[in-house]
Amino acid sequence: MNGRRSPVAVWLGQVGILVRKELLQIVRDRALLLFTVYIFTLDILLAAGNAGFDVRHAPIGIVDLDRSAASRELVYRVRAPHFEARPLNASPDAAGRLLDEGAIHALLEIGPGFERSLQRGQEAPVQLVIDGSKATLGYLIESYGERILAQESAGWAAARLAREGVDARSLPQVRLQPRTWYNADLRETWFATISELVTMMTVAAIFLPAAALIREKERGTIEQLLVSPLAPLQIVLAKVFAMTLVMLAGAAVAVGGIMVGLLDVPFRGSPVLFFALLALYAVTTSGLGIVAATFARNSGQVGLIVLLIVMPILFLSGSWNLVEGMPSWLRAGIELSPLRHFVPIAYGIVLRGTGLDAIWPSVVKMLALGTTLFAVGVWRFRRQFR
């Protein structure tokens, strides 16, 4: 042995030196460092604060044209925390204008003769006018309204059966007994924070390597690197590995410090498996960032290109919306979204505590798609400087 290192060791040592250079540069780049700190800390907290699809204090106008004990009982049911009832001494048309102006989200109109119809055992219609311009909120208000009216109707039905000597409990009925696994209280914060974390990992995995390559272009140092005894693959790998280390550090703060430490999100699976697959996802998805950098000439352009790449990935991932609700022609493209394959991995490990034996199909798909994207990125980078 003559003490000389093997070519592979020299090659990897050069990559290691470049990785350290990239880490030093991101520390010195205050804007990029602030962006990285923000997406893994404050952004996660904001996502937790905005989590939830429950209706809270939705303003609803009440027009009671019956003014009876039964109508007052119904109005009493339309109360906080779901609704903020606003009795209106106005005609239905005047109240409708408040709906047009956005002052209220819904209008409950109780017609004259409401109590009399109930006492006679007749149908007592109640009109609920909903602002459908906000579709999700409108759907939730309709669901809550139907539940409230069903409870009111059941109360009147039980009272009439009691007067006729019939015990309502003796009648046949179907009772649903739900059992919710993994998130028994249906805490939206758990879902929202994990969703935001994987979203920000996707943004960072694409943007940070692209920003690192563009920085070399803007400073005119990319040509110096290419004429040095370094292969283009070494340059790309150094930037990807450095940014992956930054993302893993940020994810560790987000998971351990914010999600588990502050928000009490449970972590039921293996942290080693989670961060290993997180690193794999970051490395493979970074190929899209490399491709973006080859088309851009400055930081402004790369930001726009990354935005064009990220948005379809997010919308096709099932993280922001339901894949089951997509049209068939759009569902055909979800397999091309890297995040689509990482979402079940993240939720499976964190909330369900699943192991590799349960999520390996998603891992294989993510690896296959990511390797292809990374290869295309390296090919584009090498071809650009020939």
Side-chain angles (χ1 to χ4, degrees), residues 284 287-288 291 365-379:
T284 53
L288 288 171
V291 172
K365 293 178 182 178
M366 181 184 73
L367 182 60
L369 179 61
T371 302
T372 303
L373 294 174
F374 189 84
V376 171
V378 174
W379 172 76

Side-chain angles (χ1 to χ4, degrees), residues 208-232:
L208 292 182
L213 286 172
I214 287 298
R215 182 174 56 231
E216 302 287 1
K217 281 187 179 182
E218 291 179 330
R219 295 177 179 177
T221 56
I222 189 69
E223 288 81 4
Q224 297 177 12
L225 289 174
L226 291 173
V227 298
S228 65
L230 297 171

Side-chain angles (χ1 to χ4, degrees), residues 198-199 201-207 209-210 240 244 247 277-292 309-310 313 337-340 342 366-367 369-374:
V198 297
T199 298
M201 279 296 300
T202 304
V203 173
I206 297 174
F207 177 71
V240 169
T244 300
M247 286 183 277
L277 294 179
L278 193 65
L280 178 63
Y281 175 71
V283 170
T284 53
T285 308
S286 63
L288 288 171
I290 301 169
V291 172
I309 295 174
V310 167
I313 291 176
S337 171
L339 184 56
R340 169 60 180 164
F342 187 67
M366 181 184 73
L367 182 60
L369 179 61
T371 302
T372 303
L373 294 174
F374 189 84

Side-chain angles (χ1 to χ4, degrees), residues 86-340:
R86 298 180 180 178
L88 303 176
N89 297 319
S91 65
D93 292 338
R97 284 195 292 272
L98 295 177
L99 197 66
D100 295 336
E101 295 169 359
I104 56 177
H105 294 328
L107 175 63
L108 180 67
E109 181 183 344
I110 305 173
F114 174 76
E115 184 179 58
R116 185 170 60 253
S117 297
L118 290 174
Q119 291 173 343
R120 294 176 178 176
Q122 300 174 345
E123 184 180 83
V126 174
Q127 181 172 248
L128 180 63
V129 183
I130 302 171
D131 180 6
S133 59
K134 298 179 180 179
T136 301
L137 179 61
Y139 172 78
L140 291 173
I141 291 176
E142 180 182 0
S143 299
Y144 279 99
E146 290 178 348
R147 187 186 306 175
I148 291 171
L149 291 177
Q151 292 174 349
E152 182 74 8
S153 178
W156 278 91
R160 179 171 182 178
L161 289 173
R163 289 195 301 269
E164 296 177 357
V166 178
D167 187 356
R169 293 173 297 180
S170 65
L171 299 177
Q173 57 182 314
V174 177
R175 179 173 297 175
L176 178 66
Q177 296 181 342
R179 297 290 185 269
T180 305
W181 288 10
Y182 312 121
N183 188 357
D185 297 331
L186 296 177
R187 298 183 184 179
E188 190 66 28
T189 302
W190 295 5
F191 169 81
T193 51
I194 299 173
S195 174
E196 191 67 16
L197 175 63
V198 297
T199 298
M200 290 299 102
M201 279 296 300
T202 304
V203 173
I206 297 174
F207 177 71
L208 292 182
L213 286 172
I214 287 298
R215 182 174 56 231
E216 302 287 1
K217 281 187 179 182
E218 291 179 330
R219 295 177 179 177
T221 56
I222 189 69
E223 288 81 4
Q224 297 177 12
L225 289 174
L226 291 173
V227 298
S228 65
L230 297 171
L233 181 60
Q234 288 177 293
I235 299 173
V236 172
L237 285 178
K239 297 185 180 300
V240 169
F241 288 164
M243 299 308 160
T244 300
L245 291 175
V246 171
M247 286 183 277
L248 289 178
V253 173
V255 173
I258 306 297
M259 295 167 58
V260 177
L262 294 180
L263 304 174
D264 295 325
V265 178
F267 197 106
R268 300 190 173 102
S270 169
V272 175
L273 178 62
F274 176 76
F275 281 98
L277 294 179
L278 193 65
L280 178 63
Y281 175 71
V283 170
T284 53
T285 308
S286 63
L288 288 171
I290 301 169
V291 172
T294 60
F295 285 100
R297 296 181 180 179
N298 52 56
S299 300
Q301 290 183 357
V302 79
L304 293 175
I305 295 175
V306 168
L307 181 63
L308 291 175
I309 295 174
V310 167
M311 295 312 297
I313 291 176
L314 298 182
F315 287 129
L316 293 175
S317 66
S319 178
W320 284 18
N321 49 15
L322 294 176
V323 174
E324 294 78 7
M326 296 180 181
S328 57
W329 62 269
L330 192 56
R331 287 200 303 270
I334 63 176
E335 296 297 323
L336 299 178
S337 171
L339 184 56
R340 169 60 180 164

Side-chain angles (χ1 to χ4, degrees), residues 70-84:
S71 64
R72 286 194 295 271
E73 173 65 23
L74 177 58
V75 172
Y76 174 74
R77 290 180 178 271
V78 184
R79 62 184 187 275
H82 304 304
F83 295 106
E84 180 185 321

